[in-house]
Amino acid sequence: MAAPWSLAGGSPWFPSIAPGSACRVNSVHDADTLHLTCNGEKLKIRLHCIDAPEIEQRPWGDESRDYLRRIIPQQVSIREQDRDRYGRIVAEVFGHAGKNLNLALVEAGKAAVYPRYCRDSRYFDAQARAQAVRRGIWAKAGKHQTPWTWRQGQR
């Protein structure tokens, strides 16, 4: 089965964004989806390696989204990793001084590592630290810890 972000970028239908491109943040939909304008093009970005609780998973979805809204600057840069089946760019997003915002969400316990689509040990290490101190979504057991499990139950 193809991964949700398995469509390769760089095609005529999905132009690639140059690494380090400065992008303006238009909105934070939830803690793993952003709307940006990069080089004059409006883009929907799916954050690489993470899965955050859905907004309907109250209160965790709201908490995760609101945390990202607090830490994200107006201008970010992205490092495109892939495209998903919806045509979204899957990327790491960087704020001030190159801070990896994807990783920051995991470190704060506001998102889980999506093991099906992540092979980067930094994310797993950050999640282990958040779990060890029961930070954010790890403070209390439940399906909010694995949003992909919660979504399966909604179908």
Side-chain angles (χ1 to χ4, degrees):
M1 182 172 153
W5 43 74
S6 64
L7 297 176
S11 75
W13 299 282
F14 300 112
S16 290
I17 301 302
S21 293
C23 301
R24 187 182 79 239
V25 177
N26 298 327
S27 67
V28 174
H29 175 72
D30 56 28
D32 55 31
T33 308
L34 305 173
H35 296 270
L36 306 178
T37 300
C38 303
N39 303 324
E41 184 179 359
K42 292 183 186 273
L43 303 171
K44 192 171 188 179
I45 306 293
R46 172 69 165 83
L47 276 64
H48 175 65
C49 264
I50 71 168
D51 198 11
E54 301 296 330
I55 297 301
E56 295 81 17
Q57 290 181 268
R58 303 234 190 293
W60 304 283
D62 290 332
E63 289 174 7
S64 293
R65 180 204 55 216
D66 294 347
Y67 178 78
L68 180 55
R69 285 178 175 170
R70 281 193 305 274
I71 68 168
I72 197 166
Q74 259 320 105
Q75 295 286 323
V76 297
S77 63
I78 66 171
R79 181 182 307 138
E80 183 175 345
Q81 300 292 327
D82 212 340
R83 295 284 175 144
D84 70 8
R85 65 180 175 221
Y86 307 110
R88 296 177 297 189
I89 293 173
V90 178
E92 287 184 297
V93 178
F94 300 90
H96 299 300
K99 179 178 182 174
N100 182 326
L101 300 179
N102 305 41
L103 195 54
L105 284 159
V106 175
E107 289 170 342
K110 302 301 182 186
V113 177
Y114 207 165
R116 184 173 175 186
Y117 306 112
C118 187
R119 301 290 176 257
D120 188 330
S121 63
R122 297 174 304 154
Y123 287 87
F124 292 96
D125 293 346
Q127 180 170 287
R129 289 190 300 273
Q131 288 171 317
V133 296
R134 302 176 59 86
R135 186 178 302 130
I137 61 174
W138 308 111
K140 183 177 179 182
K143 289 185 180 177
H144 60 281
Q145 294 177 331
T146 54
W148 54 91
T149 304
W150 181 83
R151 284 191 301 273
Q152 290 295 319
Q154 299 304 302
R155 292 182 183 160

